């Protein structure tokens, strides 16, 4: 087995909230947040794949607290699960009130990336937790993976009943 420490997959970037990022409520537009989350999480995933990846799923999405104009978003991503051709990444977005320095958890989710090339796999096949948070996240990976499998079947059933009319 080839192992990698979660710390080696960790990404952290900071984004300032600007006027153009706000919705009609004066808070960060959710689509802007999701775009930043996907971009940063893909970097963490690439650190274990070293191959072309595609975003397969974003789940357990939690908009915890809104981000405002005087906030910065601190996007933290870390790999929390490995399949044969799939990578799970956990993302936590902290808000920082720039006038006070106070921080809060504003958003969390899991993303799944897959290697689309047949026969291709990941460079690593084992993750090593580097703190209590990643230990907890790694421990829940198999349950989340099973939930995704059940949801995929439900989605296939739904798609079979949808039309383009």
């Amino acid at each position: 087995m080839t192992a990698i420490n979660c710390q080696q997959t960790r990404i952290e970037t900071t984004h300032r909230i600007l006027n153009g990022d706000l919705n009609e409520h004066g808070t960060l537009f959710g689509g802007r947040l999701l775009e930043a989350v996907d971009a940063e999480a893909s970097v963490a995933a690439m650190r274990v794949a070293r191959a072309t990846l595609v975003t397969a799923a974003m789940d357990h999405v939690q908009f915890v607290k809104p981000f405002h104009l005087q906030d910065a978003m601190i996007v933290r991503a870390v790999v929390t699960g490995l399949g044969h051709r799939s990578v799970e990444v956990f993302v936590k977005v902290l808000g920082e009130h720039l006038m006070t320095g106070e921080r809060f958890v504003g958003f969390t989710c899991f993303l799944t990336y897959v290697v689309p090339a047949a026969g291709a796999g990941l460079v690593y096949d084992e993750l090593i937790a580097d703190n209590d948070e990643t230990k907890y996240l790694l421990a829940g990976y198999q349950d989340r993976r099973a939930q995704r499998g059940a949801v995929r079947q439900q989605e296939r059933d739904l798609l079979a009943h949808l039309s383009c009319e």
Side-chain angles (χ1 to χ4, degrees):
M1 290 190 119
T2 307
I4 187 169
N5 189 295
C6 287
Q7 178 60 33
Q8 294 171 271
T9 72
R10 196 175 305 283
I11 300 296
E12 180 173 308
T13 59
T14 303
H15 303 269
R16 173 96 189 254
I17 308 292
L18 301 172
N19 281 320
D21 299 323
L22 302 178
N23 60 28
E24 67 274 17
H25 307 289
T27 59
L28 178 67
F29 180 63
R32 294 243 200 269
L33 176 59
L34 296 176
E35 178 183 19
V37 163
D38 191 18
E40 303 310 325
S42 71
V43 175
M46 289 289 293
R47 289 187 171 171
V48 297
R50 301 294 184 204
T52 300
L53 294 169
V54 296
T55 308
M58 181 181 282
D59 54 42
H60 296 84
V61 174
Q62 297 292 317
F63 291 90
V64 181
K65 288 188 177 183
F67 297 86
H68 298 92
L69 185 60
Q70 294 297 323
D71 293 338
M73 295 187 308
I74 301 157
V75 181
R76 293 183 177 167
V78 64
V79 174
T80 53
L82 300 172
H84 176 66
R85 290 179 37 207
S86 64
V87 179
E88 179 193 76
V89 179
F90 175 72
V91 178
K92 170 176 63 177
V93 183
L94 303 177
E96 179 180 344
H97 299 299
L98 295 174
M99 303 301 277
T100 66
E102 178 188 348
R103 288 190 173 186
F104 60 93
V105 175
F107 176 87
T108 64
C109 76
F110 289 91
L111 291 95
T112 303
Y113 295 90
V114 296
V115 178
L122 305 179
V123 175
Y124 299 96
D125 56 7
E126 182 183 2
L127 290 167
I128 300 168
D130 62 332
N131 59 35
D132 287 339
E133 184 175 281
T134 54
K135 185 177 181 180
Y136 176 81
L137 293 166
L138 295 179
Y141 172 65
Q142 292 302 330
D143 287 341
R144 290 187 300 274
R145 188 173 182 181
Q147 290 172 357
R148 287 184 192 108
V151 168
R152 272 194 308 277
Q153 184 56 53
Q154 293 170 351
E155 290 169 349
R156 281 192 285 274
D157 293 346
L158 173 65
L159 288 172
H161 292 88
L162 298 180
S163 72
C164 294
E165 297 175 15

